[in-house]
Amino acid sequence: MGEYVATDGTNGILSFGKPFNARPTRLRGYYKYTTAPITSLPPKSNPEDYERFLPYLGKPDTCSVYIALGDWSEPVEIRTNPKNRKLFDKDDPNIIAYAEFNSGETTTEYTLLDLELEYRATNRIPTYMIIVYSASKFGDFFTGGEGATMFIDEFSLEYDY
């Protein structure tokens, strides 16, 4: 959830999050995923990233789903350019609740995904919610498998009263 703000060279600048102030307990829905061998790596012109992800070449891609509730004062800015990179940090002190799911296995039928939010603080009220669904966990680094595909359906926020 968010917006594509601008292009920086061949990289993106994103604005993650939408205003939100409730306290759900879980994110539920269905997903179907087809993995593919990782064939794309960061450019060699960025040797640090290239070397970091080279061991993943040929291994199955991994899908990723995460949800974060935080008390940020504005949406979280994401920058993928290595020169001024700023990626989402699941250990950000502004995060009030978080849950994630990662899988490198093909799932041919829609499968229930039930993510229970882990609250790190109950004395703070969220101001923004971020939800990300990605067929390539390392897409921020231009690393992934051509043909890795993720479908999602019937996702909802659940609340315990």
Side-chain angles (χ1 to χ4, degrees):
M1 292 179 13
E3 297 178 19
Y4 188 88
V5 176
T7 301
D8 179 10
T10 58
N11 295 276
I13 301 172
L14 307 159
S15 175
F16 268 11
K18 293 290 181 185
F20 188 80
N21 63 4
R23 289 192 172 114
T25 53
R26 54 193 350 101
L27 174 67
R28 292 187 71 173
Y30 294 87
Y31 80 101
K32 185 166 45 169
Y33 179 64
T34 302
T35 189
I38 292 177
T39 53
S40 298
L41 295 173
K44 289 183 180 180
S45 59
N46 183 346
E48 184 177 312
D49 286 349
Y50 181 81
E51 291 298 323
R52 175 181 172 196
F53 290 102
L54 186 57
Y56 292 92
L57 191 63
K59 294 197 165 100
D61 206 345
T62 299
C63 68
S64 181
V65 177
Y66 63 87
I67 176 172
L69 305 176
D71 56 3
W72 299 283
S73 60
E74 59 188 14
V76 177
E77 184 178 82
I78 304 297
R79 296 177 163 271
T80 62
N81 190 327
K83 294 177 184 168
N84 60 359
R85 181 178 288 149
K86 181 178 178 275
L87 302 178
F88 180 77
D89 177 7
K90 68 181 182 181
D91 296 318
D92 181 330
N94 288 95
I95 293 176
I96 294 170
Y98 184 79
E100 72 177 312
F101 168 80
N102 300 296
S103 176
E105 296 181 21
T106 292
T107 306
T108 58
E109 301 294 324
Y110 277 101
T111 303
L112 178 65
L113 181 60
D114 187 6
L115 298 179
E116 183 174 353
L117 282 153
E118 180 180 321
Y119 276 80
R120 301 174 184 176
T122 55
N123 60 341
R124 293 165 31 211
I125 298 172
T127 54
Y128 283 88
M129 174 173 57
I130 296 171
I131 300 177
V132 172
Y133 305 96
S134 176
S136 292
K137 180 179 178 180
F138 298 119
D140 307 17
F141 296 93
F142 301 97
T143 298
E146 187 173 329
T149 309
M150 181 181 208
F151 294 93
I152 59 171
D153 197 12
E154 297 183 23
F155 270 83
S156 63
L157 295 171
E158 305 287 324
Y159 297 82
D160 292 339
Y161 294 105

